[in-house]
Coordinates of all heavy atoms in Angstrom, one line a residue:
M1 N -9.6 7.1 -7.2 CA -8.3 6.6 -6.9 C -7.2 7.5 -7.5 O -6.2 7.7 -6.9 CB -8.2 5.2 -7.5 CG -7.2 4.3 -6.9 SD -7.5 3.8 -5.2 CE -8.6 2.4 -5.5
K2 N -7.5 8.0 -8.7 CA -6.6 8.9 -9.4 C -6.4 10.2 -8.6 O -5.2 10.6 -8.5 CB -7.2 9.3 -10.8 CG -6.8 8.4 -11.9 CD -5.4 8.7 -12.4 CE -4.9 7.6 -13.3 NZ -3.4 7.3 -13.2
E3 N -7.4 10.7 -8.0 CA -7.3 11.9 -7.1 C -6.4 11.6 -5.9 O -5.6 12.5 -5.6 CB -8.7 12.3 -6.7 CG -8.7 13.7 -6.0 CD -10.1 14.1 -5.6 OE1 -11.1 13.7 -6.2 OE2 -10.2 14.9 -4.6
L4 N -6.5 10.4 -5.4 CA -5.7 10.0 -4.2 C -4.2 10.0 -4.7 O -3.3 10.5 -4.0 CB -6.2 8.7 -3.7 CG -5.8 8.3 -2.3 CD1 -6.2 9.3 -1.3 CD2 -6.6 7.0 -2.0
Q5 N -4.0 9.4 -5.8 CA -2.6 9.3 -6.4 C -2.1 10.7 -6.6 O -0.9 11.0 -6.3 CB -2.6 8.5 -7.6 CG -2.7 7.0 -7.3 CD -2.8 6.1 -8.6 OE1 -3.8 6.3 -9.3 NE2 -1.9 5.3 -8.8
Q6 N -2.9 11.6 -7.1 CA -2.5 13.0 -7.3 C -2.1 13.7 -6.0 O -1.2 14.5 -5.9 CB -3.6 13.8 -8.1 CG -3.7 13.4 -9.5 CD -4.9 14.0 -10.2 OE1 -5.8 14.6 -9.5 NE2 -5.1 13.7 -11.5
D7 N -2.9 13.4 -5.0 CA -2.7 14.0 -3.6 C -1.3 13.5 -3.1 O -0.6 14.2 -2.5 CB -3.8 13.6 -2.6 CG -5.1 14.4 -2.9 OD1 -5.1 15.3 -3.8 OD2 -6.1 14.0 -2.4
I8 N -1.1 12.2 -3.3 CA 0.2 11.6 -2.8 C 1.3 12.3 -3.6 O 2.4 12.7 -3.0 CB 0.2 10.1 -3.0 CG1 -0.8 9.4 -2.1 CG2 1.6 9.5 -2.8 CD1 -1.1 7.9 -2.5
R9 N 1.2 12.4 -4.9 CA 2.2 13.1 -5.7 C 2.5 14.5 -5.2 O 3.6 15.0 -5.1 CB 1.8 13.2 -7.2 CG 2.3 12.1 -8.0 CD 2.1 12.4 -9.5 NE 2.4 11.2 -10.3 CZ 3.7 10.9 -10.7 NH1 4.7 11.8 -10.4 NH2 4.0 9.8 -11.3
A10 N 1.4 15.2 -4.9 CA 1.5 16.6 -4.4 C 2.2 16.7 -3.1 O 3.1 17.5 -2.8 CB 0.1 17.3 -4.3
F11 N 1.9 15.7 -2.2 CA 2.6 15.7 -0.9 C 4.1 15.4 -1.1 O 4.9 16.1 -0.5 CB 2.0 14.5 0.0 CG 2.8 14.3 1.2 CD1 2.8 15.1 2.3 CD2 3.6 13.1 1.3 CE1 3.6 14.9 3.4 CE2 4.4 12.9 2.4 CZ 4.4 13.8 3.5
L12 N 4.4 14.4 -2.0 CA 5.9 14.1 -2.2 C 6.6 15.3 -2.8 O 7.7 15.6 -2.4 CB 6.0 12.9 -3.1 CG 5.5 11.6 -2.5 CD1 5.5 10.5 -3.5 CD2 6.4 11.2 -1.3
K13 N 5.9 16.0 -3.7 CA 6.5 17.1 -4.3 C 6.8 18.2 -3.3 O 7.9 18.9 -3.3 CB 5.7 17.7 -5.5 CG 6.3 18.7 -6.3 CD 5.6 19.1 -7.5 CE 6.4 20.1 -8.3 NZ 5.8 20.6 -9.5
S14 N 5.9 18.4 -2.4 CA 6.0 19.4 -1.3 C 7.2 19.1 -0.4 O 7.8 20.0 0.2 CB 4.7 19.6 -0.5 OG 4.6 18.5 0.4
R15 N 7.6 17.9 -0.3 CA 8.7 17.5 0.5 C 10.0 17.3 -0.3 O 11.1 17.0 0.2 CB 8.5 16.1 1.2 CG 7.3 16.1 2.2 CD 7.7 17.0 3.4 NE 6.6 17.2 4.2 CZ 6.3 16.5 5.4 NH1 7.2 15.6 5.8 NH2 5.3 16.8 6.1
G16 N 9.9 17.5 -1.7 CA 11.1 17.3 -2.5 C 11.4 15.8 -2.7 O 12.6 15.5 -3.0
W17 N 10.4 15.0 -2.6 CA 10.6 13.5 -2.7 C 10.0 12.9 -4.0 O 9.9 11.7 -4.0 CB 10.0 12.8 -1.5 CG 10.6 13.1 -0.1 CD1 11.8 13.7 0.1 CD2 9.9 12.9 1.1 NE1 11.9 13.9 1.5 CE2 10.8 13.4 2.1 CE3 8.7 12.4 1.5 CZ2 10.5 13.4 3.5 CZ3 8.4 12.3 2.9 CH2 9.3 12.8 3.8
E18 N 9.7 13.7 -4.9 CA 9.1 13.2 -6.1 C 9.9 12.2 -6.9 O 9.4 11.5 -7.8 CB 8.5 14.3 -7.0 CG 9.6 15.3 -7.6 CD 9.8 16.5 -6.7 OE1 9.8 16.3 -5.5 OE2 10.1 17.5 -7.3
D19 N 11.2 12.2 -6.7 CA 12.1 11.3 -7.4 C 11.8 9.8 -7.0 O 12.3 8.9 -7.7 CB 13.6 11.6 -7.1 CG 14.0 12.9 -7.8 OD1 13.3 13.4 -8.6 OD2 15.1 13.3 -7.4
Q20 N 11.1 9.6 -5.9 CA 10.7 8.2 -5.5 C 10.1 7.4 -6.6 O 10.2 6.2 -6.6 CB 9.8 8.3 -4.3 CG 10.4 8.6 -3.0 CD 9.4 8.5 -1.8 OE1 8.3 8.0 -2.0 NE2 9.9 8.9 -0.6
Y21 N 9.4 8.1 -7.5 CA 8.6 7.4 -8.5 C 9.5 6.6 -9.5 O 9.1 5.7 -10.1 CB 7.7 8.3 -9.3 CG 6.5 8.7 -8.5 CD1 6.5 9.8 -7.7 CD2 5.4 7.9 -8.5 CE1 5.4 10.2 -6.9 CE2 4.3 8.2 -7.7 CZ 4.3 9.4 -6.9 OH 3.2 9.7 -6.2
A22 N 10.8 7.1 -9.6 CA 11.7 6.4 -10.5 C 12.3 5.1 -9.8 O 12.9 4.3 -10.4 CB 12.9 7.3 -10.9
L23 N 12.1 5.0 -8.5 CA 12.7 3.9 -7.7 C 11.7 2.8 -7.4 O 11.3 2.6 -6.3 CB 13.3 4.5 -6.4 CG 14.2 5.8 -6.6 CD1 14.5 6.4 -5.2 CD2 15.4 5.4 -7.3
K24 N 11.4 2.1 -8.5 CA 10.3 1.0 -8.3 C 10.7 0.0 -7.3 O 9.9 -0.5 -6.5 CB 10.0 0.4 -9.7 CG 9.3 1.3 -10.6 CD 9.1 0.7 -12.0 CE 8.3 1.6 -12.9 NZ 8.7 2.9 -13.1
K25 N 12.0 -0.4 -7.3 CA 12.5 -1.4 -6.4 C 12.3 -0.9 -5.0 O 11.8 -1.7 -4.1 CB 14.0 -1.7 -6.6 CG 14.5 -2.7 -5.6 CD 16.0 -2.6 -5.4 CE 16.4 -1.2 -4.9 NZ 17.6 -1.0 -4.2
D26 N 12.6 0.3 -4.7 CA 12.5 0.8 -3.4 C 11.0 1.0 -2.9 O 10.7 0.8 -1.8 CB 13.2 2.2 -3.2 CG 14.7 2.0 -3.4 OD1 15.4 1.4 -2.5 OD2 15.2 2.3 -4.5
L27 N 10.2 1.3 -3.9 CA 8.7 1.4 -3.6 C 8.2 0.0 -3.2 O 7.5 -0.2 -2.3 CB 7.9 1.9 -4.8 CG 8.2 3.4 -5.1 CD1 7.5 3.8 -6.4 CD2 7.7 4.3 -3.9
A28 N 8.7 -1.1 -4.0 CA 8.3 -2.4 -3.6 C 8.9 -2.8 -2.3 O 8.1 -3.4 -1.5 CB 8.8 -3.4 -4.7
L29 N 10.1 -2.5 -2.0 CA 10.7 -2.8 -0.7 C 9.9 -2.1 0.4 O 9.6 -2.6 1.5 CB 12.1 -2.3 -0.6 CG 13.2 -3.1 -1.3 CD1 14.5 -2.3 -1.3 CD2 13.3 -4.5 -0.7
S30 N 9.5 -0.8 0.1 CA 8.8 -0.1 1.1 C 7.4 -0.7 1.5 O 7.0 -0.6 2.6 CB 8.6 1.4 0.7 OG 9.9 2.0 0.5
I31 N 6.7 -1.3 0.5 CA 5.5 -2.0 0.7 C 5.7 -3.1 1.7 O 5.0 -3.3 2.7 CB 4.9 -2.5 -0.6 CG1 4.4 -1.4 -1.5 CG2 3.7 -3.5 -0.3 CD1 4.1 -1.8 -2.9
S32 N 6.8 -3.8 1.5 CA 7.1 -5.0 2.4 C 7.5 -4.5 3.8 O 7.1 -5.1 4.8 CB 8.3 -5.8 1.8 OG 8.5 -6.9 2.6
I33 N 8.3 -3.4 3.9 CA 8.7 -2.9 5.2 C 7.5 -2.4 5.9 O 7.3 -2.7 7.1 CB 9.7 -1.7 5.0 CG1 11.0 -2.3 4.4 CG2 9.9 -1.0 6.2 CD1 12.0 -1.3 3.8
E34 N 6.6 -1.7 5.3 CA 5.4 -1.2 6.0 C 4.5 -2.4 6.3 O 3.8 -2.3 7.4 CB 4.7 -0.2 5.1 CG 5.4 1.1 4.9 CD 5.8 1.9 6.1 OE1 5.2 1.7 7.2 OE2 6.7 2.8 6.1
S35 N 4.5 -3.4 5.5 CA 3.7 -4.6 5.8 C 4.2 -5.2 7.1 O 3.4 -5.7 8.0 CB 3.7 -5.6 4.7 OG 3.1 -5.1 3.6
A36 N 5.5 -5.3 7.3 CA 6.1 -5.8 8.5 C 5.7 -5.0 9.7 O 5.5 -5.5 10.8 CB 7.6 -5.9 8.3
E37 N 5.7 -3.6 9.5 CA 5.2 -2.8 10.6 C 3.8 -3.1 11.0 O 3.4 -3.0 12.1 CB 5.4 -1.3 10.2 CG 6.9 -0.9 10.2 CD 7.1 0.5 9.8 OE1 6.1 1.3 9.7 OE2 8.3 0.9 9.6
L38 N 3.0 -3.4 10.0 CA 1.6 -3.7 10.2 C 1.5 -5.0 11.0 O 0.8 -5.2 12.0 CB 0.8 -3.9 8.9 CG -0.6 -4.4 8.9 CD1 -1.5 -3.4 9.7 CD2 -1.1 -4.5 7.5
L39 N 2.3 -6.0 10.6 CA 2.3 -7.3 11.3 C 2.8 -7.1 12.8 O 2.3 -7.8 13.6 CB 3.3 -8.3 10.6 CG 2.8 -8.8 9.2 CD1 3.8 -9.7 8.6 CD2 1.5 -9.6 9.5
E40 N 3.7 -6.2 12.9 CA 4.3 -6.0 14.3 C 3.1 -5.6 15.3 O 3.2 -5.9 16.4 CB 5.3 -4.9 14.3 CG 6.2 -4.8 15.5 CD 7.3 -3.9 15.4 OE1 7.2 -2.9 14.5 OE2 8.3 -4.0 16.1
C41 N 2.1 -4.9 14.7 CA 1.0 -4.5 15.6 C 0.2 -5.7 16.1 O -0.5 -5.6 17.1 CB 0.0 -3.6 14.8 SG 0.7 -2.1 14.2
F42 N 0.3 -6.9 15.4 CA -0.4 -8.1 15.8 C 0.5 -9.1 16.5 O 0.0 -10.1 17.1 CB -1.0 -8.8 14.6 CG -2.1 -8.0 13.9 CD1 -1.9 -7.1 12.9 CD2 -3.4 -8.2 14.3 CE1 -2.9 -6.4 12.3 CE2 -4.5 -7.5 13.8 CZ -4.2 -6.6 12.7
Q43 N 1.8 -8.8 16.5 CA 2.8 -9.8 17.1 C 2.5 -10.1 18.6 O 2.3 -9.2 19.4 CB 4.2 -9.2 17.0 CG 5.3 -10.2 17.3 CD 6.6 -9.6 17.1 OE1 6.8 -8.4 17.2 NE2 7.6 -10.5 16.8
W44 N 2.4 -11.4 18.9 CA 2.2 -11.9 20.2 C 0.9 -11.6 20.8 O 0.7 -11.6 22.0 CB 3.3 -11.4 21.2 CG 4.7 -11.6 20.7 CD1 5.6 -10.6 20.5 CD2 5.4 -12.8 20.3 NE1 6.8 -11.1 20.0 CE2 6.6 -12.5 19.9 CE3 5.0 -14.2 20.3 CZ2 7.5 -13.4 19.4 CZ3 5.9 -15.1 19.8 CH2 7.2 -14.7 19.4
K45 N -0.1 -11.3 20.0 CA -1.5 -11.0 20.4 C -2.5 -11.8 19.7 O -2.3 -12.1 18.5 CB -1.8 -9.5 20.3 CG -0.9 -8.6 21.2 CD -1.2 -7.2 20.9 CE -0.5 -6.2 21.9 NZ 0.9 -6.3 21.8
E46 N -3.6 -12.1 20.3 CA -4.8 -12.6 19.5 C -5.3 -11.5 18.6 O -5.1 -10.3 19.0 CB -5.9 -13.0 20.5 CG -5.5 -14.2 21.4 CD -5.4 -15.5 20.6 OE1 -6.0 -15.6 19.6 OE2 -4.5 -16.3 21.0
S47 N -5.9 -11.8 17.5 CA -6.3 -10.8 16.6 C -7.2 -9.7 17.2 O -6.9 -8.5 17.0 CB -7.1 -11.5 15.4 OG -7.5 -10.6 14.5
N48 N -8.2 -10.1 17.9 CA -9.1 -9.1 18.5 C -8.4 -8.2 19.5 O -8.7 -7.0 19.6 CB -10.3 -9.8 19.1 CG -11.3 -10.4 18.1 OD1 -11.2 -10.0 16.9 ND2 -12.1 -11.3 18.5
E49 N -7.5 -8.9 20.3 CA -6.8 -8.2 21.3 C -5.9 -7.1 20.6 O -5.8 -6.0 21.1 CB -5.9 -9.2 22.1 CG -5.0 -8.6 23.1 CD -4.0 -9.6 23.6 OE1 -3.9 -10.7 23.1 OE2 -3.2 -9.3 24.6
A50 N -5.2 -7.5 19.5 CA -4.3 -6.6 18.8 C -5.1 -5.4 18.3 O -4.7 -4.2 18.4 CB -3.6 -7.3 17.7
V51 N -6.3 -5.7 17.7 CA -7.1 -4.6 17.2 C -7.6 -3.7 18.3 O -7.5 -2.4 18.1 CB -8.3 -5.2 16.4 CG1 -9.3 -4.1 16.1 CG2 -7.9 -5.9 15.2
K52 N -8.0 -4.2 19.4 CA -8.4 -3.4 20.5 C -7.3 -2.5 21.0 O -7.5 -1.3 21.3 CB -8.9 -4.3 21.6 CG -9.6 -3.6 22.8 CD -10.2 -4.7 23.7 CE -10.8 -3.9 24.9 NZ -11.2 -4.9 26.0
E53 N -6.1 -3.1 21.1 CA -5.0 -2.3 21.7 C -4.3 -1.4 20.7 O -3.7 -0.4 21.1 CB -3.9 -3.3 22.3 CG -4.4 -4.0 23.5 CD -3.4 -5.0 24.1 OE1 -2.2 -4.9 23.6 OE2 -3.7 -5.8 24.9
N54 N -4.3 -1.8 19.4 CA -3.5 -1.1 18.5 C -4.2 -0.6 17.2 O -3.6 -0.4 16.2 CB -2.3 -2.0 18.0 CG -1.5 -2.5 19.1 OD1 -1.2 -1.8 20.0 ND2 -1.0 -3.7 18.9
Q55 N -5.5 -0.4 17.3 CA -6.2 0.0 16.1 C -5.7 1.2 15.4 O -5.6 1.1 14.2 CB -7.7 0.2 16.5 CG -8.5 0.4 15.2 CD -10.0 0.3 15.4 OE1 -10.5 -0.4 16.4 NE2 -10.8 0.8 14.5
E56 N -5.3 2.2 16.1 CA -4.8 3.4 15.4 C -3.5 3.1 14.6 O -3.4 3.5 13.5 CB -4.6 4.6 16.4 CG -4.2 5.8 15.6 CD -4.0 7.0 16.6 OE1 -4.4 6.9 17.8 OE2 -3.5 8.1 16.1
A57 N -2.6 2.4 15.3 CA -1.4 2.0 14.7 C -1.6 1.1 13.5 O -0.9 1.2 12.4 CB -0.4 1.4 15.7
I58 N -2.5 0.1 13.6 CA -2.9 -0.8 12.5 C -3.3 0.0 11.3 O -2.9 -0.2 10.2 CB -3.9 -1.8 13.0 CG1 -3.3 -2.8 14.0 CG2 -4.5 -2.6 11.8 CD1 -4.3 -3.7 14.7
L59 N -4.2 0.9 11.5 CA -4.8 1.7 10.4 C -3.7 2.6 9.8 O -3.6 2.8 8.6 CB -6.0 2.6 10.9 CG -7.2 1.7 11.3 CD1 -8.3 2.7 11.8 CD2 -7.6 0.8 10.3
D60 N -2.8 3.1 10.6 CA -1.7 4.0 10.1 C -0.8 3.1 9.2 O -0.4 3.6 8.2 CB -0.9 4.6 11.3 CG -1.6 5.8 11.9 OD1 -2.6 6.3 11.3 OD2 -1.1 6.2 13.0
E61 N -0.4 1.9 9.7 CA 0.5 1.1 8.9 C -0.2 0.6 7.7 O 0.4 0.5 6.6 CB 1.0 -0.1 9.8 CG 1.8 0.3 11.0 CD 2.9 1.2 10.7 OE1 3.4 1.4 9.6 OE2 3.4 1.9 11.7
L62 N -1.5 0.2 7.8 CA -2.2 -0.1 6.5 C -2.2 1.0 5.5 O -2.0 0.8 4.3 CB -3.7 -0.5 6.9 CG -4.6 -0.9 5.8 CD1 -4.0 -2.1 5.0 CD2 -6.0 -1.2 6.3
A63 N -2.4 2.2 6.0 CA -2.4 3.4 5.1 C -1.0 3.5 4.5 O -0.9 3.8 3.3 CB -2.7 4.6 5.9
D64 N 0.1 3.3 5.3 CA 1.4 3.3 4.7 C 1.6 2.3 3.6 O 2.2 2.6 2.5 CB 2.5 3.1 5.8 CG 2.7 4.2 6.7 OD1 2.3 5.4 6.3 OD2 3.2 4.0 7.8
V65 N 1.1 1.1 3.8 CA 1.2 0.0 2.7 C 0.5 0.5 1.5 O 1.0 0.4 0.4 CB 0.6 -1.3 3.2 CG1 0.5 -2.3 2.1 CG2 1.4 -1.9 4.4
L66 N -0.7 1.0 1.7 CA -1.6 1.4 0.5 C -1.0 2.6 -0.2 O -1.0 2.7 -1.4 CB -3.0 1.8 1.0 CG -3.8 0.6 1.6 CD1 -5.0 1.0 2.3 CD2 -4.1 -0.4 0.5
I67 N -0.4 3.5 0.5 CA 0.3 4.7 -0.1 C 1.4 4.3 -1.0 O 1.5 4.7 -2.2 CB 0.7 5.7 1.0 CG1 -0.5 6.4 1.6 CG2 1.7 6.8 0.3 CD1 -0.1 7.2 2.9
Y68 N 2.3 3.4 -0.5 CA 3.4 2.9 -1.3 C 2.8 2.1 -2.5 O 3.4 2.1 -3.6 CB 4.4 2.1 -0.5 CG 5.3 3.0 0.3 CD1 5.4 2.9 1.7 CD2 6.2 3.9 -0.4 CE1 6.3 3.7 2.4 CE2 7.1 4.7 0.3 CZ 7.1 4.6 1.7 OH 8.0 5.4 2.4
A69 N 1.8 1.3 -2.3 CA 1.2 0.5 -3.4 C 0.7 1.4 -4.5 O 0.9 1.2 -5.7 CB 0.1 -0.4 -2.9
L70 N 0.0 2.5 -4.1 CA -0.5 3.5 -5.0 C 0.6 4.2 -5.8 O 0.5 4.4 -7.0 CB -1.4 4.5 -4.4 CG -2.8 3.9 -3.9 CD1 -3.5 5.0 -3.1 CD2 -3.6 3.5 -5.1
Q71 N 1.7 4.5 -5.0 CA 2.8 5.1 -5.7 C 3.5 4.2 -6.7 O 3.8 4.6 -7.8 CB 3.9 5.4 -4.6 CG 3.8 6.7 -3.9 CD 4.9 7.0 -3.0 OE1 4.9 6.8 -1.8 NE2 6.0 7.4 -3.6
L72 N 3.6 2.9 -6.3 CA 4.2 1.9 -7.3 C 3.3 1.8 -8.5 O 3.8 1.9 -9.7 CB 4.4 0.6 -6.6 CG 5.1 -0.5 -7.5 CD1 6.5 0.0 -7.9 CD2 5.3 -1.8 -6.7
A73 N 2.0 1.7 -8.4 CA 1.1 1.6 -9.5 C 1.2 2.9 -10.3 O 1.3 2.9 -11.6 CB -0.3 1.5 -9.0
D74 N 1.3 4.0 -9.7 CA 1.4 5.3 -10.4 C 2.8 5.4 -11.1 O 2.8 6.0 -12.2 CB 1.3 6.5 -9.3 CG 1.0 7.8 -9.9 OD1 0.6 7.8 -11.1 OD2 1.1 8.8 -9.3
S75 N 3.8 4.8 -10.6 CA 5.1 4.9 -11.2 C 5.1 4.1 -12.6 O 5.9 4.4 -13.5 CB 6.2 4.3 -10.3 OG 6.2 2.9 -10.3
F76 N 4.2 3.1 -12.7 CA 4.0 2.4 -14.0 C 2.9 3.1 -14.8 O 2.5 2.6 -15.9 CB 3.5 1.0 -13.7 CG 4.6 0.1 -13.2 CD1 4.8 -0.3 -11.9 CD2 5.5 -0.5 -14.1 CE1 5.8 -1.1 -11.5 CE2 6.5 -1.4 -13.7 CZ 6.6 -1.7 -12.4
E77 N 2.3 4.2 -14.3 CA 1.2 4.9 -15.0 C 0.1 3.9 -15.2 O -0.5 3.9 -16.3 CB 1.7 5.6 -16.3 CG 2.8 6.6 -16.0 CD 3.3 7.3 -17.3 OE1 2.7 7.1 -18.3 OE2 4.2 8.1 -17.1
L78 N -0.3 3.2 -14.2 CA -1.3 2.2 -14.3 C -2.6 2.7 -13.6 O -2.5 3.4 -12.6 CB -0.9 0.9 -13.6 CG 0.2 0.1 -14.3 CD1 0.7 -1.0 -13.4 CD2 -0.2 -0.4 -15.6
D79 N -3.7 2.3 -14.1 CA -5.0 2.5 -13.5 C -5.2 1.4 -12.5 O -5.4 0.3 -12.8 CB -6.1 2.5 -14.6 CG -7.5 2.8 -14.0 OD1 -7.8 2.3 -12.9 OD2 -8.2 3.4 -14.7
V80 N -5.2 1.8 -11.2 CA -5.3 0.9 -10.1 C -6.6 0.0 -10.2 O -6.5 -1.2 -10.0 CB -5.2 1.6 -8.8 CG1 -5.4 0.7 -7.6 CG2 -3.9 2.3 -8.6
E81 N -7.7 0.7 -10.4 CA -8.9 -0.1 -10.5 C -8.9 -1.1 -11.6 O -9.3 -2.3 -11.4 CB -10.1 0.9 -10.8 CG -10.4 1.7 -9.5 CD -11.7 2.5 -9.7 OE1 -12.6 2.1 -10.4 OE2 -11.7 3.6 -9.1
E82 N -8.3 -0.8 -12.8 CA -8.2 -1.7 -13.9 C -7.3 -2.9 -13.5 O -7.7 -4.1 -13.8 CB -7.6 -1.0 -15.1 CG -7.6 -1.8 -16.4 CD -7.0 -1.0 -17.5 OE1 -7.1 0.2 -17.6 OE2 -6.4 -1.7 -18.4
I83 N -6.1 -2.7 -12.9 CA -5.3 -3.8 -12.6 C -5.9 -4.7 -11.5 O -5.7 -5.9 -11.5 CB -3.8 -3.4 -12.2 CG1 -3.7 -2.5 -11.0 CG2 -3.1 -2.8 -13.4 CD1 -2.3 -2.3 -10.5
I84 N -6.6 -4.1 -10.6 CA -7.3 -4.9 -9.5 C -8.4 -5.8 -10.2 O -8.5 -7.0 -10.0 CB -7.8 -4.1 -8.4 CG1 -6.7 -3.5 -7.6 CG2 -8.8 -4.9 -7.5 CD1 -7.1 -2.5 -6.5
R85 N -9.2 -5.1 -11.1 CA -10.3 -5.9 -11.7 C -9.7 -7.0 -12.6 O -10.2 -8.1 -12.7 CB -11.1 -5.0 -12.6 CG -12.0 -4.1 -11.7 CD -13.0 -3.2 -12.5 NE -13.5 -2.2 -11.7 CZ -14.3 -2.3 -10.7 NH1 -14.7 -3.5 -10.3 NH2 -14.7 -1.2 -10.0
N86 N -8.6 -6.7 -13.3 CA -7.9 -7.7 -14.2 C -7.5 -8.9 -13.3 O -7.6 -10.1 -13.7 CB -6.7 -7.2 -14.9 CG -7.2 -6.2 -16.0 OD1 -8.3 -6.2 -16.5 ND2 -6.2 -5.4 -16.5
K87 N -6.9 -8.6 -12.1 CA -6.4 -9.7 -11.3 C -7.6 -10.5 -10.7 O -7.5 -11.7 -10.5 CB -5.5 -9.1 -10.1 CG -4.9 -10.1 -9.3 CD -4.0 -11.1 -10.0 CE -3.1 -12.0 -9.1 NZ -3.8 -13.1 -8.6
L88 N -8.6 -9.8 -10.3 CA -9.8 -10.5 -9.8 C -10.4 -11.5 -10.9 O -10.8 -12.6 -10.6 CB -10.9 -9.5 -9.4 CG -10.7 -8.8 -8.1 CD1 -11.8 -7.7 -7.9 CD2 -10.7 -9.7 -6.9
E89 N -10.4 -11.0 -12.1 CA -10.8 -11.9 -13.2 C -9.9 -13.1 -13.3 O -10.3 -14.3 -13.5 CB -10.8 -11.2 -14.6 CG -12.0 -10.2 -14.7 CD -13.4 -10.9 -14.4 OE1 -13.6 -12.0 -15.0 OE2 -14.2 -10.4 -13.6
K90 N -8.6 -12.9 -13.2 CA -7.6 -14.0 -13.3 C -7.9 -15.0 -12.1 O -7.9 -16.2 -12.3 CB -6.2 -13.5 -13.2 CG -5.6 -12.9 -14.4 CD -4.1 -12.6 -14.2 CE -3.6 -11.8 -15.3 NZ -2.2 -11.3 -15.1
N91 N -8.1 -14.4 -10.9 CA -8.4 -15.3 -9.8 C -9.6 -16.1 -9.9 O -9.7 -17.3 -9.5 CB -8.5 -14.4 -8.5 CG -7.2 -13.8 -8.0 OD1 -6.1 -14.1 -8.6 ND2 -7.3 -12.9 -7.1
K92 N -10.7 -15.5 -10.6 CA -11.9 -16.3 -10.8 C -11.7 -17.5 -11.7 O -12.4 -18.5 -11.5 CB -13.0 -15.4 -11.4 CG -13.6 -14.3 -10.5 CD -14.6 -13.5 -11.3 CE -15.0 -12.3 -10.5 NZ -15.8 -11.3 -11.3
K93 N -10.7 -17.4 -12.6 CA -10.5 -18.5 -13.5 C -9.6 -19.5 -13.0 O -9.4 -20.6 -13.5 CB -9.9 -17.9 -14.8 CG -10.8 -17.1 -15.6 CD -10.2 -16.4 -16.8 CE -11.1 -15.4 -17.5 NZ -10.4 -14.5 -18.3
R94 N -8.9 -19.2 -11.9 CA -7.9 -20.1 -11.3 C -8.6 -21.2 -10.5 O -9.6 -21.0 -9.8 CB -7.1 -19.3 -10.3 CG -5.6 -19.4 -10.5 CD -4.9 -18.5 -9.6 NE -4.1 -19.2 -8.7 CZ -3.3 -18.7 -7.8 NH1 -3.1 -17.4 -7.7 NH2 -2.6 -19.5 -7.0
V95 N -8.0 -22.4 -10.6 CA -8.5 -23.5 -9.9 C -7.7 -23.6 -8.6 O -6.5 -23.7 -8.6 CB -8.4 -24.8 -10.7 CG1 -8.9 -26.0 -9.9 CG2 -9.1 -24.7 -12.0
W96 N -8.4 -23.5 -7.5 CA -7.7 -23.5 -6.2 C -7.5 -24.9 -5.6 O -8.3 -25.8 -5.8 CB -8.4 -22.7 -5.1 CG -8.5 -21.2 -5.6 CD1 -9.5 -20.7 -6.3 CD2 -7.5 -20.2 -5.5 NE1 -9.2 -19.4 -6.6 CE2 -8.0 -19.1 -6.1 CE3 -6.2 -20.2 -4.9 CZ2 -7.3 -17.9 -6.2 CZ3 -5.5 -19.0 -5.0 CH2 -6.0 -17.8 -5.6
Ligands
MG1 MG1 4.8 2.8 8.9

């Protein structure tokens, strides 16, 4: 995961966009915006139909969501695996 975050950092630096890491609010907004783009791939379709027709776009939008999520985690200098495992532990203790 760290290597992926480094690759994202390198890409942003190559574009002169490395200042994005200071903009936590905008990274959070971007996750939501890209999530909406992902949902748009499914809009007005049955799930299987949407996947059949839009699989490439679905995977692209999912990747956009994940890239912004990794950037936001990186902006907090967090270990992504650790925060996911911590949250899974919290979820296990939760009464649904
Ligand atoms: Mg997108």
Side-chain angles (χ1 to χ4, degrees):
M1 207 69 84
K2 272 278 170 217
E3 191 179 331
L4 202 48
Q5 286 172 297
Q6 287 168 357
D7 289 349
I8 294 168
R9 267 192 186 274
F11 170 75
L12 292 172
K13 188 170 182 179
S14 75
R15 296 291 170 101
W17 297 340
E18 63 267 37
D19 290 348
Q20 282 186 8
Y21 285 92
L23 307 172
K24 291 176 172 58
K25 176 207 58 155
D26 294 286
L27 291 171
L29 286 172
S30 297
I31 292 169
S32 183
I33 291 164
E34 295 299 343
S35 295
E37 291 179 6
L38 175 60
L39 289 175
E40 195 174 23
C41 297
F42 290 93
Q43 188 178 28
W44 311 120
K45 295 177 173 61
E46 294 293 327
S47 181
N48 289 340
E49 178 191 6
V51 170
K52 190 175 174 185
E53 290 179 14
N54 300 326
Q55 187 166 337
E56 184 177 350
I58 290 167
L59 296 179
D60 284 348
E61 299 307 340
L62 177 59
D64 285 340
V65 171
L66 294 169
I67 289 166
Y68 279 121
L70 287 172
Q71 274 185 261
L72 185 57
D74 199 12
S75 77
F76 284 101
E77 298 181 9
L78 292 172
D79 181 320
V80 174
E81 287 186 33
E82 187 181 327
I83 61 172
I84 290 172
R85 289 187 196 291
N86 288 345
K87 184 61 169 82
L88 285 173
E89 286 306 312
K90 283 184 190 172
N91 289 352
K92 284 179 194 171
K93 292 174 190 161
R94 236 173 112 175
V95 180
W96 299 94

